[in-house]
């Protein structure tokens, strides 16, 4: 799977007459290419988003209007679904996450992008990203679920590394005091499935088999962190915005979180080994973590499909990917950009180590992903809050997997 995620071929054949390509590709930009409206999460979360829009307009000749998405996950999902299901043509290109893409990929709400996702273009991206797109999405960036540390507490603990289970437990025990918690998570109901799945990965468990001793050990460990006050029970209300704040104010000393938040720390002048930084991934039994990313899709109701594809061709190109990564300090989805010696973003060397040393896997999600995410989150919150006993929690999680992943569990969807 790691090979699928990190292997890519150089080269891209763009449709003629669109743009001047990055890396020596010669394609002409069109005059007065038209206007499109971009409905994008980055417009609400990235202060320098206009710089990216300017780069896209200069390369494509388009006039790009931008509408910022809501930052709350539930509100964002509801807004996107309302726009698409109602046939609203006021937006053309939309940025969506893996969960929404899986839910929408089989519908008629999204325009197929076969003429954008040519064989040459697809070969330049991780195979799992292309599979995820279902022919209807252009990958924007790669985000890796990383282990982050606050260097201040690593020094206070007198530790050279925090990687093995023994080292992690020692770190938690040492720094969890005086209002500081050794670990912080985004454990709100629609977010905690990331931590649940990742701890199962790190313990070398099997998310689809809850009779597996390692799977059970992973969630026992998570509850023990709460019971021993290594992590706060109050984070059951926290999404990643709140988690990032807790790491920045020093009340949490480590976290699992996505590399796409690098701009938050870079812009605040907080990224670095003396402060907050991406450390090598934990290995509590296995060194494995999630890699995924957002994608651009084309609203099937758009009245500007040709113009939108001009933008999408640029976004998929070497130039577009380099611009996105450089402006937002994120890891591009195209690995040939990452391998370019002239390309750099904060934390790139640490992220490259994940590409080479850590097994990267896509997050397992069913088509009806939001129902699944909410059920996993609800069950976990009841378990760590002592509303569900351990045996009941394990039984209900297995039933959940049987329902949403019948092929993987061999259950045929029967509880």
């Amino acid at each position: 799977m790691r090979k699928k995620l990190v292997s890519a071929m150089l080269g891209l054949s763009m449709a003629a007459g669109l743009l001047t390509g990055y890396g020596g590709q010669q394609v002409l930009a069109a005059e007065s290419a038209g206007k499109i409206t971009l409905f994008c999460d980055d417009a609400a979360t990235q202060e320098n988003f206009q710089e990216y829009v300017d780069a896209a307009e200069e390369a494509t000749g388009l006039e790009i209007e931008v509408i910022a998405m809501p930052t709350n996950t539930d509100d964002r999902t509801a807004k996107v679904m309302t726009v698409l299901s109602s046939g609203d043509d006021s937006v053309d290109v939309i940025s969506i996450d893996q969960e929404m893409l899986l839910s929408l990929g089989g519908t008629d709400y999204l325009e197929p992008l076969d003429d954008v996702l040519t064989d040459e273009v697809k070969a330049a991206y991780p195979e799992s990203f292309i599979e995820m797109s279902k022919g209807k999405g252009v990958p924007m960036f790669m985000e890796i679920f990383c282990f982050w540390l606050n260097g201040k507490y690593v020094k206070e603990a007198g530790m050279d590394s925090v990687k093995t289970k023994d080292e992690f437990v020692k770190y938690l025990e040492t720094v969890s005091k005086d209002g500081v918690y050794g670990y912080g998570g985004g454990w709100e109901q629609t977010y905690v499935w990331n931590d649940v799945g990742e701890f199962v990965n790190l313990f070398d468990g099997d998310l689809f088999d809850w009779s597996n001793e390692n799977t059970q050990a992973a969630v026992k460990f998570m509850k023990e962190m709460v019971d021993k006050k290594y992590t706060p029970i109050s984070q059951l209300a926290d999404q990643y915005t709140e988690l990032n704040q807790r790491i920045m104010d020093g009340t949490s000393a480590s976290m699992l979180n996505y590399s796409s938040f690098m701009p938050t720390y870079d812009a605040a002048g907080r990224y670095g080994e003396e402060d907050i930084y991406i450390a090598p991934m934990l290995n509590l039994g296995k060194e494995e973590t999630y890699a995924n990313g957002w994608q651009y899709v084309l609203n099937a109701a758009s009245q500007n499909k040709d113009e939108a594809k001009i933008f999408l061709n640029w976004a998929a190109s070497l130039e577009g990917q380099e611009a996105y990564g450089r402006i937002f300090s994120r890891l591009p989805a195209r690995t040939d950009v990452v391998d370019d010696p002239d390309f750099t973003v904060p934390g790139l060397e640490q992220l490259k180590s994940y590409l080479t040393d850590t097994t990267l896997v896509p997050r397992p999600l069913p088509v009806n992903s939001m129902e699944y995410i909410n059920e996993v989150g609800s069950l976990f919150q009841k378990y760590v809050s002592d509303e569900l006993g351990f045996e009941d929690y394990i039984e209900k999680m297995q039933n959940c997997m049987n329902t949403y992943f019948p092929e993987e569990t061999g259950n045929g969807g029967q509880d």
Side-chain angles (χ1 to χ4, degrees):
M1 184 61 66
R2 176 170 55 189
K3 292 180 180 178
K4 287 185 177 182
L5 282 159
V6 303
S7 63
M9 293 171 57
L10 291 173
L12 176 67
S13 176
M14 296 293 297
L18 297 182
L19 53 96
T20 300
Y22 173 82
Q25 296 170 14
Q26 300 299 317
V27 195
L28 299 177
E31 292 184 8
S32 303
K35 180 179 178 180
I36 63 168
T37 299
L38 180 61
F39 186 36
C40 191
D41 174 74
D42 287 334
T45 59
Q46 305 301 320
E47 292 183 358
N48 54 344
F49 187 70
Q50 187 58 45
E51 183 180 349
Y52 175 70
V53 173
D54 291 344
E57 289 183 332
E58 181 179 355
T60 64
L62 291 166
E63 180 183 348
I64 301 175
E65 180 182 350
V66 178
I67 300 175
M69 284 182 171
T71 56
N72 179 274
T73 300
D74 290 338
D75 293 342
R76 182 174 61 235
T77 301
K79 182 62 176 177
V80 170
M81 292 303 298
T82 298
V83 167
L84 293 175
S85 63
S86 66
D88 185 344
D89 64 359
S90 64
V91 297
D92 304 302
V93 175
I94 305 172
S95 68
I96 63 176
D97 58 18
Q98 180 188 5
E99 297 93 299
M100 284 191 282
L101 186 57
L102 282 168
S103 297
L104 294 167
T107 71
D108 295 329
Y109 298 152
L110 305 181
E111 184 75 9
L113 298 175
D114 296 339
D115 47 349
V116 175
L117 297 171
T118 63
D119 289 343
E120 291 84 359
V121 170
K122 289 189 289 188
Y125 286 89
E127 185 177 338
S128 63
F129 280 39
I130 297 301
E131 291 174 354
M132 187 195 311
S133 77
K134 299 182 183 297
K136 296 181 178 180
V138 171
M140 297 165 58
F141 60 92
M142 180 187 297
E143 56 180 356
I144 300 174
F145 205 45
C146 297
F147 181 52
W148 300 67
L149 283 169
N150 186 317
K152 168 188 174 182
Y153 295 116
V154 177
K155 284 187 175 180
E156 286 186 5
M159 300 179 68
D160 295 323
S161 70
V162 181
K163 188 172 180 66
T164 67
K165 183 178 179 182
D166 288 344
E167 289 173 341
F168 187 43
V169 170
K170 178 183 176 182
Y171 184 70
L172 295 174
E173 291 174 341
T174 304
V175 305
S176 297
K177 58 185 178 182
D178 302 326
V180 175
Y181 294 90
Y183 179 79
W187 283 10
E188 187 267 341
Q189 183 170 317
T190 60
Y191 276 65
V192 71
W193 71 285
N194 288 286
D195 261 28
V196 172
E198 180 54 23
F199 273 99
V200 170
N201 289 340
L202 294 173
F203 272 77
D204 196 17
D206 181 349
L207 190 65
F208 305 121
D209 181 7
W210 285 77
S211 66
N212 183 296
E213 292 183 358
N214 293 339
T215 305
Q216 295 184 7
V219 291
K220 283 182 179 178
F221 183 84
M222 295 176 75
K223 188 174 189 306
E224 286 172 2
M225 286 197 295
V226 173
D227 294 341
K228 295 180 179 180
K229 301 189 185 309
Y230 296 158
T231 199
I233 189 68
S234 60
Q235 70 192 17
L236 293 182
D238 290 352
Q239 299 184 356
Y240 291 144
T241 300
E242 293 80 14
L243 173 59
N244 286 327
Q245 185 58 50
R246 287 192 282 116
I247 293 291
M248 290 237 245
D249 66 25
T251 57
S252 290
S254 71
M255 66 176 177
L256 289 169
N257 205 347
Y258 284 100
S259 59
S260 55
F261 286 104
M262 179 69 72
T264 302
Y265 299 94
D266 182 44
R270 298 292 304 273
Y271 188 79
E273 291 194 7
E274 298 300 315
D275 199 347
I276 301 163
Y277 63 98
I278 291 175
M281 178 47 78
L282 290 168
N283 186 334
L284 311 180
K286 188 176 184 180
E287 188 173 344
E288 179 174 289
T289 194
Y290 292 136
N292 56 276
W294 284 55
Q295 302 205 16
Y296 287 125
V297 295
L298 177 52
N299 182 2
S302 167
Q303 300 299 306
N304 306 301
K305 291 187 176 68
D306 290 341
E307 293 83 356
K309 288 179 181 180
I310 293 175
F311 169 78
L312 293 172
N313 271 295
W314 176 79
S317 73
L318 276 164
E319 179 188 10
Q321 285 278 298
E322 187 276 337
Y324 187 95
R326 172 179 50 79
I327 292 169
F328 299 132
S329 299
R330 284 176 171 169
L331 197 63
R334 284 183 64 127
T335 53
D336 49 359
V337 180
V338 178
D339 292 336
D340 184 342
D342 294 328
F343 176 80
T344 185
V345 294
L348 182 61
E349 291 308 309
Q350 291 91 336
L351 293 174
K352 281 185 175 179
S353 75
Y354 274 73
L355 294 175
T356 57
D357 301 334
T358 305
T359 301
L360 304 179
V361 296
R363 297 180 302 177
L365 278 173
V367 172
N368 43 350
S369 57
M370 291 311 299
E371 294 177 16
Y372 164 75
I373 287 168
N374 274 286
E375 185 169 342
V376 171
S378 175
L379 290 173
F380 179 80
Q381 290 195 343
K382 290 177 180 178
Y383 166 54
V384 296
S385 301
D386 293 319
E387 294 180 44
L388 267 181
F390 177 72
E391 296 299 332
D392 285 342
Y393 171 62
I394 293 300
E395 179 182 357
K396 290 180 182 298
M397 278 301 296
Q398 188 61 65
N399 290 341
C400 175
M401 295 301 145
N402 292 345
T403 298
Y404 291 101
F405 299 97
E407 293 183 0
E408 285 79 358
T409 64
N411 187 266
Q414 300 299 314
D415 292 345

